[in-house]
């Protein structure tokens, strides 16, 4: 097995950092269908700017007051829960590459990294930070990112159970959305220095703040969420705050340990009094930097083993219907020279439908949790090799499985992408019953009457495709189910196109159906016309034509730490 090495962004040189930040995975964090060509957007901006900043290249910008443009970036309101939202920002590629070029200028990068490492030296080992962006060399399987949180937070937390008596979980309210941009400059140079040189643009921190403010409609509050540049700057700010917390806690030095993953704190102490002092100190310092603790998510305990593990994970450990064959069992057979090659990798304590119902019950008890992603993925792995006849033989109604899955996805936006992938797998099982799903959508009403009754639910799905409530991310992924047939001249394609709402979906409809569009995700009136984005190159029609109906494993990055 090839050795996997972890390289943190702050350990890279300026060229390595630039290459890392210009990956499409660094530009957009969420999963999007593969026919969105984010590499084109980055390449477009790189060709125009090279290693230069936007202000130093002539012939691109015609309106330097682009901070007055409200739609300069594309914002998707992602559902944090069924009724709560957070903005995920796709930054205009010129603005993103401009910021990357500023940060990874050789001198600037050395300054930034030196400052971070100086702060890191002051903060550690009292407050251990585990959320600096990193690259995994020699690993194409992004699910290994899941191991990072599991090892550095959960596993370390359990170890502290031998030393400390109390654990306190804290996190911040709307972290990225409430960051005062000026405090990023404080983190880089110190508060007093920045206040004394507020208008000195030779300070790197002031240059960064100026760019963040201009891409944020002139607002000094909030940074765009969903990219690795923002993650890096947020980490710099939080490490600066860490050093202040440590300085204020000198009277109890050596009596506590704090693990921090971005804005998620785990605080370990010997006494309740120490715990209260740390929380009070942290709250005060955060408020000075315009940040607020989310008191509704406070959790404290004295069983550091159990309290170090998330409640949803503990619940699923108890109720998981999957019994996995482990390496221990293989070694047991090997040591006794017993053949185990025919041993199933998994055993199931429930039928397929009961298995999915258990997942639904779990989702109702712990809505929108990361552990639900793992549960749905395991369920899909169970059914992936089953045929339509296999379902019939066991009395399993595929329509019922689809109905349950749809409900889980609608109520738990966090599983949108993996949930729609499971839906695509279930839909394709009907293809073995004489007709393909996509062919079904193309036929006329008379022909549909002679189809098996099991196809009736597809009309309901068609309605869902064009009316996915307010979850715009769900609309994007539901389009993936039918994008291959949108170019056909059918009633379904016409109705779907007419009812679509989400901008990315509408743009895709236009390019697939008409090979052109008047839609632009960004307001580009500040850029000369010949330097604007060619949106026909953003939608990869060849990729659409070559895709399978069923969503493949390679189409999703499951790098959420909750996968463990």
């Amino acid at each position: 097995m090839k050795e996997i090495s972890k390289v943190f962004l702050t350990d890279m040189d300026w060229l390595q950092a630039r290459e890392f930040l210009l990956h499409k995975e660094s530009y957009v964090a969420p999963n999007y269908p593969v026919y969105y060509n984010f590499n084109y957007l980055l390449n477009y901006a790189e060709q125009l700017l090279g290693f230069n900043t936007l202000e130093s290249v002539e012939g691109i910008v015609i309106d330097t007051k682009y901070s007055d443009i409200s739609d300069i970036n594309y914002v998707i309101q992602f559902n944090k829960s069924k009724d709560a939202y957070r903005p995920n920002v796709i930054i205009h590629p010129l603005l993103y590459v401009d910021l990357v070029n500023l940060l990874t200028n050789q001198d600037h990068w050395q300054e930034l990294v030196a400052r971070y490492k100086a702060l890191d030296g002051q903060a550690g080992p009292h407050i251990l930070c585990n959320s600096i962006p990193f690259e995994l060399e020699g690993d194409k399987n992004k699910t290994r990112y899941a191991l990072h949180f599991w090892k550095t937070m959960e596993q370390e937390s359990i170890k502290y159970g031998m030393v400390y008596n109390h654990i306190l979980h804290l996190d911040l309210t709307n972290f990225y959305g409430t960051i005062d941009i000026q405090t990023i400059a404080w983190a880089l140079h110190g508060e007093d220095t920045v206040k004394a040189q507020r208008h000195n643009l030779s300070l790197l921190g002031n240059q960064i703040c100026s760019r963040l403010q201009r891409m944020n409609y002139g607002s000094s509050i909030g940074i765009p969420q969903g990219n690795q540049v923002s993650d890096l700057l947020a980490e710099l700010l939080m490490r600066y705050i860490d050093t202040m917390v440590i300085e204020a806690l000198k009277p109890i030095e050596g009596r506590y340990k704090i693990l921090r993953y971005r804005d998620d704190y785990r605080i370990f102490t010997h006494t309740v009094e120490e715990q209260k002092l740390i929380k009070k100190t942290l709250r005060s310092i955060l408020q000075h930097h315009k940040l607020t603790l989310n008191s509704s998510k406070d959790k404290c305990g004295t069983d550091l083993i159990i309290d170090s593990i998330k409640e949803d994970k503990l619940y699923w450990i108890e109720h998981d219907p999957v019994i996995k064959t482990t390496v221990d069992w293989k070694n047991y057979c090997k040591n006794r020279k017993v053949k185990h090659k025919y041993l199933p990798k998994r055993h199931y304590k429930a039928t397929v439908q009961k298995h999915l119902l258990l997942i639904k019950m779990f989702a109702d008890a712990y809505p929108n949790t990361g552990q639900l992603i793992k549960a749905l993925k395991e369920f899909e792995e169970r059914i992936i090799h089953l045929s339509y006849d296999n379902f019939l033989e066991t009395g399993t109604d595929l329509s019922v499985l689809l109905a349950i899955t749809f409900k889980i996805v609608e109520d738990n936006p966090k599983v949108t992408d993996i949930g729609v992938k499971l839906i695509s797998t279930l839909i394709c099982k009907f293809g073995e019953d004489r007709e393909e799903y996509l062919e079904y959508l193309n036929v006329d009403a008379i022909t549909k009457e002679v189809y098996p009754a099991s196809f009736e639910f597809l009309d309901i799905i068609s309605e869902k495709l064009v009316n996915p409530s307010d979850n715009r991310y769900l609309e994007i992924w539901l389009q993936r189910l039918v994008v291959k047939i949108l170019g056909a001249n059918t009633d379904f394609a016409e109705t779907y196109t007419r009812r679509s709402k989400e901008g990315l979906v509408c743009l895709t409809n236009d390019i697939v159906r008409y090979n052109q569009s008047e839609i632009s995700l960004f307001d580009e009136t500040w850029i000369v016309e010949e330097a604007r984005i060619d949106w026909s190159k953003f939608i990869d029609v060849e990729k659409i034509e070559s895709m399978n109906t069923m969503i493949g494993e390679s189409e999703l990055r499951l790098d959420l730490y909750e996968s463990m």
Side-chain angles (χ1 to χ4, degrees):
M1 181 181 293
K2 188 173 181 180
E3 184 179 354
I4 307 299
S5 59
K6 186 184 300 180
V7 182
F8 289 97
L9 182 53
T10 49
D11 291 327
M12 298 178 188
D13 64 29
W14 66 280
L15 277 173
Q16 292 170 325
R18 186 175 188 273
E19 182 180 359
F20 175 83
L21 293 173
L22 292 180
H23 288 166
K24 68 175 181 179
E25 289 83 5
S26 298
Y27 178 45
V28 285
N31 283 310
Y32 287 98
V34 292
Y35 44 83
Y36 294 144
N37 189 355
F38 288 104
N39 278 330
Y40 159 71
L41 294 184
L42 292 172
N43 291 336
Y44 141 85
E46 277 192 272
Q47 288 174 5
L48 288 174
L49 296 181
F51 286 77
N52 303 303
T53 56
L54 192 58
E55 61 197 15
S56 64
V57 179
E58 296 182 356
I60 297 177
V61 176
I62 56 177
D63 183 1
T64 56
K65 294 183 179 179
Y66 53 81
S67 60
D68 295 336
I69 299 175
S70 60
D71 298 327
I72 199 165
N73 302 313
Y74 190 70
V75 181
I76 299 177
Q77 294 292 342
F78 274 49
N79 295 64
K80 291 183 64 177
S81 63
K82 191 175 181 181
D83 301 311
Y85 300 86
R86 63 173 170 80
N88 194 279
V89 181
I90 302 176
I91 302 172
H92 191 290
L94 279 176
L95 300 181
Y96 180 80
V97 174
D98 171 63
L99 184 54
V100 170
N101 286 349
L102 174 72
L103 294 176
T104 58
N105 168 281
Q106 187 170 5
D107 293 336
H108 292 168
W109 186 250
Q110 289 176 353
E111 180 182 357
L112 190 151
V113 169
R115 174 60 169 174
Y116 179 83
K117 291 189 173 181
L119 295 172
D120 192 49
Q122 295 175 47
H126 306 288
I127 302 179
L128 300 179
C129 167
N130 298 302
S131 43
I132 282 290
F134 63 89
E135 180 78 276
L136 290 174
E137 291 189 344
D139 177 36
K140 295 181 180 179
N141 183 1
K142 296 302 182 183
T143 58
R144 289 184 184 267
Y145 277 101
L147 292 170
H148 183 64
F149 182 91
W150 185 64
K151 288 181 177 180
T152 59
M153 292 295 281
E154 284 197 355
Q155 298 297 289
E156 286 300 308
S157 295
I158 291 172
K159 292 177 186 178
Y160 289 143
M162 296 186 292
V163 180
Y164 297 97
N165 301 319
H166 299 271
I167 182 173
L168 173 64
H169 296 254
L170 300 172
D171 71 0
L172 305 186
T173 300
N174 188 20
F175 176 43
Y176 284 84
T178 56
I179 290 177
D180 186 330
I181 291 173
Q182 180 181 231
T183 61
I184 294 174
W186 294 2
L188 190 54
H189 306 291
E191 182 177 351
D192 293 339
T193 299
V194 173
K195 286 184 173 179
Q197 302 183 59
R198 191 182 304 274
H199 303 293
N200 180 5
L201 287 181
S202 67
L203 284 182
L204 175 59
N206 286 345
Q207 294 180 58
I208 294 170
C209 292
S210 174
R211 279 166 169 78
L212 290 173
Q213 189 167 356
R214 280 184 287 170
M215 70 171 63
N216 195 30
Y217 196 32
S219 174
S220 62
I221 303 298
I223 64 175
Q225 188 168 351
N227 66 88
Q228 294 279 30
V229 170
S230 291
D231 291 346
L232 174 64
L233 296 176
E235 287 302 336
L236 178 68
L237 171 60
M238 293 304 291
R239 213 55 179 144
Y240 176 63
I241 291 172
D242 288 343
T243 62
M244 295 184 176
V245 173
I246 288 167
E247 182 66 25
L249 292 177
K250 275 192 174 180
I252 60 168
E253 185 174 1
R255 297 283 301 170
Y256 68 92
K257 180 77 72 173
I258 299 175
L259 297 180
R260 182 177 61 75
Y261 191 96
R262 204 156 291 143
D263 62 330
D264 179 345
Y265 289 89
R266 297 187 180 199
I267 300 169
F268 304 87
T269 61
H270 294 289
T271 67
V272 173
E273 289 72 26
E274 292 165 350
Q275 190 179 88
K276 290 180 178 178
L277 173 63
I278 292 173
K279 182 179 178 180
K280 179 181 178 181
T281 302
L282 182 60
R283 181 192 295 116
S284 175
I285 293 173
L286 287 169
Q287 285 176 345
H288 178 72
H289 293 81
K290 314 298 171 52
L291 299 171
T292 307
L293 286 174
N294 186 350
S295 58
S296 66
K297 291 188 177 182
D298 288 5
K299 176 188 171 185
C300 57
T302 55
D303 187 338
L304 271 69
I305 305 299
I306 297 301
D307 292 329
S308 292
I309 303 172
K310 292 193 171 186
E311 287 184 17
D312 60 304
K313 184 175 291 188
L314 292 172
Y315 176 99
W316 194 240
I317 289 172
E318 182 179 356
H319 296 87
D320 189 354
V322 184
I323 302 173
K324 304 171 184 68
T325 302
T326 66
V327 174
D328 297 339
W329 179 251
K330 291 181 181 179
N331 288 334
Y332 175 88
C333 294
K334 180 180 179 181
N335 293 337
R336 285 157 182 76
K337 298 181 179 180
V338 177
K339 292 184 178 180
H340 65 276
K341 64 179 180 178
Y342 300 113
L343 187 70
K345 291 183 178 180
R346 295 179 182 180
H347 302 267
Y348 301 97
K349 296 182 287 185
T351 63
V352 168
Q353 185 167 314
K354 287 180 179 178
H355 185 171
L356 190 57
L357 283 171
L358 286 170
I359 295 174
K360 173 68 168 64
M361 293 167 62
F362 169 56
D364 291 343
Y366 294 94
N368 222 42
T369 61
Q371 191 68 26
L372 184 55
I373 295 172
K374 179 181 178 182
L376 290 174
K377 190 173 188 302
E378 286 185 341
F379 179 78
E380 183 183 16
E381 290 170 353
R382 176 178 184 176
I383 68 166
I384 192 72
H385 298 297
L386 298 180
S387 68
Y388 184 79
D389 288 339
N390 292 148
F391 288 103
L392 290 179
E393 289 165 1
T394 58
T396 304
D397 190 333
L398 276 172
S399 301
V400 173
L401 298 184
L402 270 158
I404 297 171
T405 304
F406 250 116
K407 186 60 176 172
I408 292 172
V409 174
E410 286 184 319
D411 291 346
N412 299 271
K414 192 167 191 173
V415 303
T416 294
D417 46 8
I418 190 67
V420 173
K421 183 179 185 301
L422 173 57
I423 289 169
S424 82
T425 299
L426 290 168
I427 286 174
C428 287
K429 297 299 177 183
F430 284 101
E432 298 168 23
D433 188 28
R434 297 185 300 281
E435 300 292 345
E436 286 284 351
Y437 164 63
L438 294 182
E439 292 176 359
Y440 168 79
L441 289 176
N442 272 327
V443 299
D444 57 36
I446 296 176
T447 308
K448 288 181 182 180
E449 292 177 1
V450 302
Y451 275 59
S454 55
F455 278 98
E456 292 179 1
F457 80 95
L458 292 175
D459 284 324
I460 300 174
I461 290 180
S462 300
E463 186 69 25
K464 294 281 187 183
L465 289 171
V466 295
N467 188 28
S469 67
D470 293 322
N471 187 343
R472 293 171 60 186
Y473 190 50
L474 177 57
E475 185 178 356
I476 288 169
W477 272 103
L478 287 177
Q479 185 185 51
R480 168 63 181 86
L481 298 177
V482 297
V483 70
K484 288 177 69 67
I485 63 163
L486 292 182
N489 186 23
T490 63
D491 289 343
F492 172 81
E494 180 63 32
T495 301
Y496 175 83
T497 301
R498 186 174 65 253
R499 294 182 180 177
S500 296
K501 303 172 184 175
E502 159 58 38
L504 279 165
V505 171
C506 294
L507 174 62
T508 306
N509 291 341
D510 285 354
I511 299 300
V512 171
R513 289 177 63 76
Y514 313 116
N515 199 32
Q516 62 180 358
S517 179
E518 296 181 359
I519 295 172
S520 175
L521 299 183
F522 312 116
D523 185 332
E524 295 191 291
T525 54
W526 57 286
I527 304 171
V528 296
E529 190 168 349
E530 56 270 24
R532 295 174 188 174
I533 295 168
D534 182 350
W535 290 106
S536 66
K537 295 179 180 178
F538 175 65
I539 305 299
D540 192 334
V541 177
E542 291 184 2
K543 177 76 74 174
I544 293 172
E545 293 173 349
S546 65
M547 289 188 314
N548 293 323
T549 302
M550 187 170 70
I551 300 173
E553 289 288 334
S554 63
E555 295 186 49
L556 298 184
R557 301 191 315 272
L558 295 179
D559 53 3
L560 292 170
Y561 60 77
E562 296 96 334
S563 296
M564 287 304 303

